[in-house]
Amino acid sequence: MGITCLLYLPSAPSTAVDHINERLTDDLDFTELDEPWLVTCRSYRDQVAMRQRAAANSGPKAGSNSSYVPKIQYLLTFGHVEKMFSMVATMGGRRTGENAGKGETGIVVEVDRDFELILTKLKNLWTKRQEVVVEGIAYEHGDYIIRIGSMRIGGELVRGLFVQAENVKLEGSSSAALPGLRGVLRGALQGIPGISDIELTLALHGRSMRKQASALNAEESANKLGALKKTESMTMPTKRPADVAIRDPKRPRIQIPEADLDGNDWHEYAAVRLREDEFTRAHEAYQFFRLFRQEGLL
C-alpha cells in the first residue's frame, strides 16, 4: 500500500459531500470507484478495575485499591482488507499539545478476523462499549485515492465528515509524505460550502493547534490561524486549487510550516510500537484509533 493522511471535520454537513464530489470529478478529474469506503471500529472495556472495585467495596478496606489503570481495546476493520487491527490502551484518552505522544501507552497489532469471536466469549475480561462506522465514497486519480465518509455511532448518523487521502505509489516515512497529502486534502476541500477554513486548517494540523485555538479569544484565534493560512496559500492558484498538489506531490505549492516537516509527525507511530521507516495498514489503523480517541468518539 501507499501512505495515507486522515482528517475529521466535525462541523461539516452531509450536503458538503455533493460539493466535494463535484470538485473532485468535474475540476480535478477524479473517478468514483465502485467499491465503497467502509471502516468499522468497536471498543471493549476491561473488567479488571470493576471487579477490583467491587471486591474493595465489599471488604474491610473498602476503596483502598485504586492503583490499577483501566484498559480499553479497539478493534478496527477495513471493508477491503481481510485482516483486522487491535489496539490496547489506557482509558481516558491521551495527552495533546506539548505532551503529545507521552500519554499514548497503547500497542497496535494485526490480528485475524476470528480474534473478535474469541474476545466476545471473554465477557468476564472484556465488555463491548461502543461502535463507530465510517461509510462513504472513494475517488481515484493517478497515484491518489481520496475517500469521503460519514459516521454512525451506535447506528445513529452523526454530523461531520471523515476525509482521507492516499498516495498509493509513494513509499517511505510518513513524515516525508504528509505535507504532500495535506496539500492534496486542502486543495480538494478548501472553499467547499459548509467547511470553514479555520476548521480545515485545524484538522490538517492536528489536535494540539485546536486546543491552543480554543484557549484564545476569537480575535487571537483568527489572527493565529490567518497567519498559518497565509503561509500555506501564498502561491495557491485561485482556480482548481489542488491541481499543482495532484500533479506534483513532491513539490506542492502549499507551503507547510516547518513544524510539520520534522520527524515527530502527529501520528506518533513509535508510541504504539509501529516502525517509523515504513507505512503499513497497521499505521493507517492507528490514524483512526488516534483520531477516535482524541475526539472522544470511542
Side-chain angles (χ1 to χ4, degrees), residues 22-297:
E22 183 178 351
R23 168 76 59 81
L24 291 175
T25 57
D26 295 349
D27 296 341
L28 300 177
D29 299 324
F30 274 76
T31 302
E32 183 176 336
L33 299 178
D34 293 333
E35 186 177 78
W37 187 32
L38 179 63
V39 180
T40 303
C41 187
R42 286 176 282 274
S43 62
Y44 291 79
R45 182 171 181 172
D46 79 3
Q47 298 301 295
V48 176
M50 184 178 297
R51 294 200 305 271
Q52 286 187 345
R53 285 196 301 270
N57 292 334
S58 62
K61 296 182 179 180
S64 62
N65 192 345
S66 60
S67 61
Y68 180 77
V69 179
K71 301 293 191 302
I72 188 166
Q73 181 166 187
Y74 307 95
L75 293 179
L76 185 140
T77 58
F78 297 107
H80 56 287
V81 178
E82 292 185 2
K83 295 288 186 177
M84 69 186 314
F85 301 90
S86 169
M87 176 176 171
V88 178
T90 56
M91 288 287 292
R94 56 189 307 288
R95 298 177 187 173
T96 54
E98 294 181 358
N99 293 317
K102 298 178 182 178
E104 194 70 277
T105 58
I107 180 170
V108 175
V109 295
E110 179 182 292
V111 297
D112 292 328
R113 294 256 180 161
D114 293 338
F115 178 77
E116 189 167 19
L117 296 176
I118 299 174
L119 195 64
T120 56
K121 296 179 180 180
L122 302 176
K123 294 182 179 180
N124 60 325
L125 298 178
W126 297 96
T127 299
K128 186 175 177 180
R129 184 187 183 197
Q130 188 64 278
E131 178 177 280
V132 172
V133 177
V134 177
E135 188 172 11
I137 312 167
Y139 302 85
E140 184 178 35
H141 174 71
D143 295 342
Y144 288 95
I145 295 178
I146 292 181
R147 303 176 176 95
I148 308 160
S150 56
M151 172 177 57
R152 293 182 181 274
I153 298 180
E156 297 293 328
L157 185 64
V158 179
R159 184 185 177 94
L161 292 177
F162 283 85
V163 187
Q164 182 191 65
E166 178 178 0
N167 186 322
V168 298
K169 297 294 179 64
L170 190 61
E171 298 179 357
S173 68
S174 59
S175 59
L178 278 175
L181 289 175
R182 285 177 179 142
V184 171
L185 286 172
R186 181 174 286 283
L189 299 173
Q190 191 167 34
I192 294 294
I195 298 178
S196 72
D197 287 348
I198 288 180
E199 184 166 83
L200 177 58
T201 298
L202 294 175
L204 288 169
H205 291 276
R207 178 76 170 189
S208 60
M209 178 171 287
R210 185 179 305 167
K211 292 197 69 177
Q212 293 172 27
S214 64
L216 302 172
N217 61 38
E219 182 177 357
E220 290 174 327
S221 298
N223 290 340
K224 186 171 183 179
L225 294 173
L228 176 58
K229 281 186 57 187
K230 183 177 180 181
T231 303
E232 288 182 325
S233 59
M234 193 173 298
T235 56
M236 177 80 73
T238 55
K239 297 180 180 180
R240 301 169 61 96
D243 276 359
V244 175
I246 295 293
R247 293 173 181 172
D248 189 5
K250 293 183 179 180
R251 297 182 61 84
R253 288 194 180 183
I254 299 169
Q255 302 299 311
I256 304 298
E258 186 176 348
D260 289 326
L261 298 176
D262 62 27
N264 298 317
D265 70 80
W266 58 280
H267 296 299
E268 302 150 3
Y269 302 118
V272 290
R273 312 299 191 274
L274 294 176
R275 294 180 59 175
E276 295 183 275
D277 59 347
E278 67 175 354
F279 195 94
T280 66
R281 289 292 179 197
H283 292 70
E284 181 184 7
Y286 177 59
Q287 291 180 356
F288 283 93
F289 291 143
R290 186 181 191 277
L291 205 158
F292 288 150
R293 278 165 67 78
Q294 68 187 19
E295 294 291 342
L297 299 174

